[in-house]
Amino acid sequence: MNEKLFSTFDIKEIISDSGVIRLRDSEKDVIGEISLKIFINGTEYASLLCLNQLTEELALGFLHSEGVIDSIGDVASISSNERLFAVMINLAEGKSVEKCESLRSVTSGCGKCFTYINPLKQEKFIPVVDSGQYSVKDILNTMVEFERQSEVYQTVGGVHSVLFKHAEFSVFNEDIGRHNCFDKIAGVLLKNKKMDLVEKGMLFVSGRVSSEIITKV
C-alpha cells in the first residue's frame, strides 16, 4: 500500500478497564486527501478532494461523467503535475468544453460534491439495451470477496470502495468518496478502451446508492 495515502499521528488512546478510565500514548494512521486540480486546455475546470491515487483516471472519469468527453479519443494528451496536485488535459482538435448548466446541483455525497448534469435531461443518458445475467450465487460470492478486498479500509479506514466486475475485465479501487471511486473506474475503462463492457458488468459499492451515484452509473 502506498504510504503517501495516510499519515501517522501520536494520539491519546482511551482505555476502559473495570470501570476505570485512563489514557495511553499510542499512534494512529489517518487517511489523507488532496485537492486535485483538473485543467482543460490550460484552464482550471474543477478541483476535487480525493485520495492521492489514480489521479489521471479520476480526472478522465469525472470529465466523462460530466459529459465533457465521450471517449478517450476526445483527449489529445494527459499529464500529471505532482507538485501542484494537478492533471493537465488537452482535448482533441474540434472538441471543446460545452457551456455548463447555469445551475449546478449540490449532491448528497461526501464533501458536498456538485454536478452540472441535469438528471431531467434524458438526452444526457444512454439507455441500457442489453444486460448480462448473473446467478445469485455469483453475486453473493463476489460480494464477500469485495468486502475483503479493501486493503486501505482494513489498514487505515476512512475510505469507500467500488468494484466493477466483468468476466473479461474487473476494476477495484478505493477513495475518500464513493463518487470518486466510480469516476476512477470510468477512467480506467476509458484508458483501456473497455467502456463497452459496462452494460454486462456488475457494480458493488460500500455505501448507499444516492442520486449522483445513479447518475454516474
Side-chain angles (χ1 to χ4, degrees), residues 57-98:
E57 288 80 359
L58 173 58
L60 286 172
F62 176 77
L63 296 184
H64 183 269
S65 68
E66 288 292 307
V68 176
I69 62 174
D70 297 316
S71 69
I72 195 66
D74 292 333
V75 177
S77 65
I78 181 170
S79 60
S80 299
N81 186 319
E82 295 184 3
R83 184 177 61 85
L84 297 177
F85 294 121
V87 174
M88 326 296 289
I89 292 176
N90 290 311
L91 299 181
E93 186 176 353
K95 185 71 177 178
S96 60
V97 180
E98 294 183 9

Side-chain angles (χ1 to χ4, degrees), residues 5 14 25 40 49 54 69-70 76 79 88 103 107 118 121 136 148 152 159 178 189 200 203 205 216:
L5 301 182
I14 300 173
D25 291 331
I40 301 178
L49 294 177
L54 294 177
I69 62 174
D70 297 316
S79 60
M88 326 296 289
L103 181 65
T107 69
N118 185 342
K121 288 195 171 183
V136 174
R148 295 171 178 169
V152 176
V159 294
R178 52 193 187 279
L189 292 173
K200 295 185 178 181
L203 281 165
V205 56
K216 289 182 183 295

Side-chain angles (χ1 to χ4, degrees), residues 160-180:
H160 278 289
S161 53
V162 172
L163 168 68
F164 170 74
K165 178 75 172 182
H166 191 281
E168 295 180 25
F169 193 82
S170 295
V171 185
F172 173 88
N173 70 66
E174 301 162 288
D175 203 280
I176 59 172
R178 52 193 187 279
H179 54 288
N180 289 339

Side-chain angles (χ1 to χ4, degrees), residues 14-208:
I14 300 173
I15 306 296
S16 177
D17 185 12
S18 301
V20 177
I21 305 297
R22 60 187 178 86
L23 297 179
R24 180 174 65 189
D25 291 331
S26 185
E27 291 184 339
K28 171 68 177 175
D29 293 333
V30 178
I31 202 71
E33 65 181 43
I34 63 170
S35 179
L36 179 70
K37 299 176 180 63
I38 300 175
F39 287 84
I40 301 178
N41 297 340
T43 301
E44 186 173 346
Y45 179 80
S47 183
L48 310 178
L49 294 177
C50 61
L51 208 60
N52 189 16
Q53 185 183 66
L54 294 177
T55 53
E56 290 188 6
E57 288 80 359
L58 173 58
L60 286 172
F62 176 77
L63 296 184
H64 183 269
S65 68
E66 288 292 307
V68 176
I69 62 174
D70 297 316
S71 69
I72 195 66
D74 292 333
V75 177
S77 65
I78 181 170
S79 60
S80 299
N81 186 319
E82 295 184 3
R83 184 177 61 85
L84 297 177
F85 294 121
V87 174
M88 326 296 289
I89 292 176
N90 290 311
L91 299 181
E93 186 176 353
K95 185 71 177 178
S96 60
V97 180
E98 294 183 9
K99 184 179 179 181
C100 295
E101 293 280 338
S102 59
L103 181 65
R104 70 181 185 179
S105 301
V106 177
T107 69
S108 59
C110 317
K112 293 220 172 180
C113 325
F114 70 86
T115 179
Y116 285 106
I117 294 296
N118 185 342
L120 299 180
K121 288 195 171 183
Q122 296 185 10
E123 70 273 12
K124 292 288 187 181
F125 300 91
I126 304 172
V128 177
V129 178
D130 191 11
S131 60
Q133 294 185 348
Y134 294 84
S135 70
V136 174
K137 182 178 180 181
D138 285 343
I139 294 171
L140 295 178
N141 287 342
T142 304
M143 190 68 199
V144 171
E145 294 172 7
F146 169 65
E147 291 178 339
R148 295 171 178 169
Q149 206 167 344
S150 182
E151 180 185 354
V152 176
Y153 180 79
Q154 293 175 10
T155 307
V156 186
V159 294
H160 278 289
S161 53
V162 172
L163 168 68
F164 170 74
K165 178 75 172 182
H166 191 281
E168 295 180 25
F169 193 82
S170 295
V171 185
F172 173 88
N173 70 66
E174 301 162 288
D175 203 280
I176 59 172
R178 52 193 187 279
H179 54 288
N180 289 339
C181 294
F182 278 96
D183 284 341
K184 284 180 178 179
I185 283 179
V188 171
L189 292 173
L190 284 168
K191 264 192 167 184
N192 290 275
K193 299 181 180 180
K194 299 289 187 180
M195 191 60 79
D196 60 312
L197 300 180
V198 296
E199 290 188 354
K200 295 185 178 181
M202 289 191 291
L203 281 165
F204 294 82
V205 56
S206 63
R208 61 193 179 85

